[in-house]
């Protein structure tokens, strides 16, 4: 177990299964290659503050995913059993390419644009909620076959702000 893991720059490769106890940060200028499985323990936080996370490995977050900027790409699953906070810093766009995100609890989108491409998918599970608290756009550039999807089996709630929210992606709503 590693209690705290901060990437400030350069390239770090995780090629085998890793348990992070408390906190993991990917900052601007850092590149994280995930080839194994990364497990962020309960009450831990994975903060994507900039930089890039890529690779074929999955990431299981039992605590919080705090996404303020940067690119998350690759083919592995990002499974969040705690909360997701999407809050742009300095107007950054949160980008995902190819990855699947499973939100099992709450996703609080407070500000900024989200851009999913190359078939990336965000799925809000039954009992989960996508809470839109500010303005922004969920974007999916590319051809129809490459477009991202937003699938909600739980709830989608817009509250708190009168600012416009736009969803420019395939959205399948099976929830409330």
């Amino acid at each position: 177990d590693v209690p705290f893991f901060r990437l400030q720059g350069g390239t770090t490769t995780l090629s085998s299964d890793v348990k992070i106890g408390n906190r993991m940060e990917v900052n601007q200028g850092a590149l994280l290659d995930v080839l194994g499985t990364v497990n962020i323990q309960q009450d831990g936080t994975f903060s994507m503050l900039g930089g890039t996370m890529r690779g074929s490995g999955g990431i299981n977050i039992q605590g919080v995913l705090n996404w303020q900027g940067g690119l998350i790409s690759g083919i592995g699953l990002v499974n969040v059993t705690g909360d997701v906070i999407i809050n742009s810093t300095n107007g950054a766009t949160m980008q995902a390419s190819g990855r699947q995100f499973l939100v099992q609890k709450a996703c609080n989108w407070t500000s900024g644009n989200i851009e999913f491409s190359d078939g990336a998918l965000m799925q809000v599970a039954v009992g989960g909620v996508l809470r839109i608290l500010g303005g922004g756009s969920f974007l999916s550039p590319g051809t129809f076959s490459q477009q991202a999807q937003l699938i909600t089996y739980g709830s989608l709630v817009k509250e708190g702000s009168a600012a416009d929210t736009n969803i420019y992606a395939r959205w399948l709503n099976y929830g409330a």
Side-chain angles (χ1 to χ4, degrees), residues 68-80:
Q68 296 182 25
L71 168 65
I72 300 175
S73 67
I75 59 172
L77 174 69
V78 177
N79 180 29
V80 186

Side-chain angles (χ1 to χ4, degrees), residues 30-79:
L31 173 62
L32 174 62
D33 273 325
V34 178
L35 304 178
T37 300
V38 174
N39 292 294
I40 309 293
Q41 302 299 308
Q42 190 169 1
D43 298 325
T45 301
F46 177 74
S47 294
M48 190 68 189
L49 305 176
T52 300
M53 183 186 91
R54 67 180 185 192
S56 59
I59 183 165
N60 297 307
I61 304 168
Q62 295 177 2
V64 175
L65 169 59
N66 175 24
W67 195 1
Q68 296 182 25
L71 168 65
I72 300 175
S73 67
I75 59 172
L77 174 69
V78 177
N79 180 29

Side-chain angles (χ1 to χ4, degrees), residues 100-173:
Q100 294 184 18
F101 292 76
L102 177 57
V103 177
Q104 296 190 36
K105 195 172 176 186
C107 178
N108 296 307
W109 177 14
T110 59
S111 67
N113 293 329
I114 304 168
E115 182 179 301
F116 275 36
S117 62
D118 295 324
L121 165 73
M122 178 182 280
Q123 179 178 316
V124 179
V126 172
V129 61
L130 173 57
R131 191 173 291 116
I132 302 170
L133 303 170
S137 294
F138 189 104
L139 309 165
S140 179
T143 64
F144 186 77
S145 64
Q146 295 175 319
Q147 275 194 338
Q149 293 186 61
L150 172 61
I151 302 174
T152 51
Y153 291 99
S155 301
L156 186 140
V157 177
K158 169 75 171 161
E159 62 186 32
S161 171
D164 289 343
T165 301
N166 302 294
I167 298 176
Y168 298 109
R170 285 187 274 179
W171 175 26
L172 305 171
N173 182 26

